[in-house]
Amino acid sequence: MRYFFFGSLRDADVLGLVLGRRLPPARLRPARLKGFRLLRVRGESYPMLAAASARTVRGALVHGLTGADAKRLAFFEGEEYETAPLMVVLGARRRVRALVFRARSGLAGDGRAWSFAAWRRNAKRAFLPLARLWMAFYRHADPASAEALWRKRRQHGLAAALRGFHEK
């Protein structure tokens, strides 16, 4: 199976955490997806694709993934995303079909462009423990139950952070 990753899954640490193993660097190749741009998801640090005819999204084409990998990836992306087969460009012109995670209709962008480099600089450090926590739910809860646990944990964490903020 081939996937095109445009967001946090382009990062080797995040991808390794999600798959439960590190992939050899040769399995990831630079690629482009034409006709889209990246927007930040409202209230989050991660992106979504938005149609934009004259734009191109840079990302990574990952090949040789298994059915077990696909299940872990789908769990990580949650119910907000679904896969769609799209054509991506390798090198100057070679086009190949790959699975791409596209936002479901309920997910909204905040209108701001998303940058992988800026995410790595500004959000990766905070994102990794959250991703680790989310993937800890894998195999222990169905996606809907995991989402409920996640919301509860996140609300508790936000409430504690706000208490700490207001106490200072």
Side-chain angles (χ1 to χ4, degrees):
M1 269 185 255
R2 283 190 294 237
Y3 281 84
F4 174 78
F5 298 135
F6 55 84
S8 62
L9 286 169
R10 287 174 61 189
D11 182 84
D13 295 328
V14 174
L15 185 58
L17 191 151
V18 171
L19 295 178
R21 71 183 194 292
R22 290 268 189 179
L23 292 180
R27 300 258 304 272
L28 286 84
R29 298 186 56 199
R32 300 177 314 281
L33 178 63
K34 294 184 176 186
F36 293 92
R37 66 185 178 122
L38 293 178
L39 293 179
R40 214 172 130 150
V41 171
R42 185 176 293 138
E44 301 293 349
S45 69
Y46 51 83
M48 63 182 280
L49 291 170
S53 60
R55 304 285 294 271
T56 298
V57 170
R58 294 192 180 283
L61 181 72
V62 180
H63 64 87
L65 296 177
T66 67
D69 294 332
K71 287 178 184 178
R72 292 181 69 93
L73 289 164
F75 182 86
F76 175 73
E77 292 293 350
E79 296 180 346
E80 295 177 328
Y81 293 88
E82 61 189 349
T83 57
L86 297 175
M87 296 303 288
V88 298
V89 181
L90 288 169
R93 290 183 221 173
R94 184 172 172 226
R95 295 170 50 95
V96 298
R97 187 172 304 278
L99 293 172
V100 179
F101 284 100
R102 302 222 25 211
R104 292 184 190 263
S105 61
L107 197 62
D110 68 4
R112 294 183 292 169
W114 186 88
S115 158
F116 182 61
W119 175 85
R120 284 179 121 176
R121 249 187 343 270
N122 304 321
K124 177 182 173 180
R125 183 179 301 222
F127 185 84
L128 281 174
L130 295 173
R132 194 171 289 111
L133 173 64
W134 176 250
M135 290 310 295
F137 293 136
Y138 185 70
R139 290 198 184 146
H140 300 292
D142 62 273
S145 298
E147 189 66 37
L149 287 167
W150 175 254
R151 277 195 300 273
K152 183 177 178 182
R153 185 60 139 330
R154 190 167 176 185
Q155 286 172 348
H156 175 75
L158 289 174
L162 288 172
R163 273 194 311 275
F165 176 77
H166 290 300
E167 290 169 2
K168 291 182 181 181

